[in-house]
Amino acid sequence: MGRPLTVLVIDDSATNRRTLTTLLESSQEVMVLDWAQDGEEGLKKVLDLKPDVVTLDLEMPRLGGHTFLRLLMRAAPTPVIVISSYAHRSDVGKALELGAFDFIAKPPQVTPAALEHLRRELIDKVLAARHVKAGGRHGAAPRGVVLSGDVPQIIAVGASTGGPPAVQRLLEGLATEPTVSVLVGQHMPSQFTKAFAERLDRIGPFTVREACEGDMVKPGHVYIAPGGRHLLLSDRTGRLELRTPSPVPADKYAPSVDRLFESAADVLGPRAVAVVLTGMGADGAQGVRAVRREGGETWAESEDTAVVYGMPKEAIATGAVSRVLALDAIGTELAALVRRRRQSGGQ
């Protein structure tokens, strides 16, 4: 084992600071360097101590979490994990836009089971920061074309850790092709997906919403998988609809990127397009195999731009990924793909 990952805890509650320190130091791979009780003190300590990771509460006196993030990302980009209550879910989206690496929802009730769940999630995400590039930002991934009649060009996108700002950048890049429909499988707690969709809805020409059972897939719409449920594409007598089933015990992830991609392969065949963005784990690897078997397009974000290279790396390792590109290049190349499909009648 290498040196422990160092952490600075920033929270105005002494109880929360003690709890987080105890949970973090339950792992031999993590060491808490120090703590700070507000953003101003935290910024000074980050510059002085240079921790590998920062945990951040957003609601603090003197210098709040959002201002802290703006200043930190200019002065000394460092992976930041926001720890927020469900009541401030919209603030989390803003924090991710400002450069936060990931977030964790505080449990509504402090029970032994809730603390153990928090401990595991906290340590997993702190350790994932080993693979984060300082100041790493995401590019875009556009496309869009009506295939025939009212059926839009559909893109399935999978992401996990580091994904929310990547998905936003992807949609910004897609703005020049507003007839596209995007299905997003983003690993995120259920209490945050609606706010995530609402935030994305305000940034461009797309209508972005949390997907519901039975939604018809419409051009110019983006559907976010509801947290804790899957997002699947279904062909109901010629109409493309969405299904949002609950997970079964065997499912490791909910939403599952694998299941999203597999449903796109089943329904769309060679017209399917699957894109794997940043994230921990291997979700999406089986899905790209299914899309590739049907002759569809399977793309993955390159190591150069992925905040966490786990999901793209595992997808690429299957041998089923047709293109590996930096996100900015993905945007340009997908736009070209859309134009080619439009000219050939959607094939």
Side-chain angles (χ1 to χ4, degrees), residues 285-320:
Q286 294 301 317
V288 296
R289 280 194 174 109
V291 172
R292 195 62 178 157
R293 278 196 301 269
E294 297 296 329
E297 292 283 339
T298 51
W299 296 21
E301 182 178 358
S302 73
E303 185 175 7
D304 291 339
T305 59
V307 173
V308 177
Y309 190 47
M311 281 173 52
K313 180 180 179 181
E314 293 297 327
I316 293 164
T318 68

Side-chain angles (χ1 to χ4, degrees), residues 41-266:
E41 182 183 17
L43 189 60
K44 293 177 181 176
K45 289 192 174 182
V46 171
L47 297 176
D48 183 39
L49 300 174
K50 297 179 175 55
D52 296 313
V53 187
V54 173
T55 69
L56 178 69
D57 181 30
L58 292 177
E59 298 294 318
M60 295 182 297
R62 298 177 66 187
L63 187 69
H66 292 146
T67 303
F68 168 84
L69 279 166
R70 287 192 189 95
L71 296 173
L72 177 68
M73 294 306 162
R74 283 201 293 263
T78 304
V80 175
I81 299 173
V82 170
I83 302 178
S84 174
S85 70
Y86 295 141
H88 298 103
R89 62 194 69 150
S90 61
D91 292 338
V92 169
K94 184 176 180 181
L96 292 169
E97 287 182 11
L98 292 172
F101 160 60
D102 209 332
F103 73 96
I104 295 173
K106 291 178 181 176
Q109 295 183 331
V110 182
T111 64
L115 283 175
E116 175 57 19
H117 182 273
L118 175 62
R119 185 189 73 83
R120 290 197 303 268
E121 186 176 15
L122 185 61
I123 290 171
D124 283 349
K125 291 190 174 183
V126 165
L127 294 179
R130 290 185 194 277
H131 310 292
V132 178
K133 303 169 187 65
R137 309 297 288 184
H138 288 86
R143 52 269 280 284
V145 56
V146 177
L147 299 172
S148 61
D150 294 327
V151 180
Q153 168 69 64
I154 295 172
I155 296 92
V157 177
S160 181
T161 305
V167 171
Q168 177 174 334
R169 293 288 296 277
L170 184 153
L171 296 181
E172 291 168 348
L174 277 171
T176 58
E177 294 287 350
T179 59
V180 71
S181 183
V182 185
L183 312 181
V184 179
Q186 165 68 54
H187 296 168
M188 181 177 281
S190 58
Q191 295 87 347
F192 288 86
T193 46
K194 185 177 180 181
F196 177 48
E198 289 171 349
R199 188 168 193 87
L200 292 177
D201 189 52
R202 298 193 290 267
I203 69 169
F206 296 103
T207 298
V208 186
R209 60 180 294 181
E210 186 182 57
C212 295
E213 181 72 21
D215 278 343
M216 283 188 60
V217 180
K218 299 177 183 178
H221 281 59
V222 177
Y223 302 91
I224 306 296
R229 303 180 74 88
H230 298 303
L231 175 60
L232 308 178
L233 185 64
S234 175
D235 184 357
R236 301 283 180 87
T237 62
R239 291 196 326 164
L240 295 183
E241 293 184 357
L242 299 177
R243 295 176 51 224
T244 57
S246 298
V248 299
D251 290 327
K252 185 175 181 181
Y253 303 103
S256 165
V257 178
D258 281 329
R259 292 193 60 182
L260 170 60
F261 287 178
E262 287 164 358
S263 72
D266 289 342

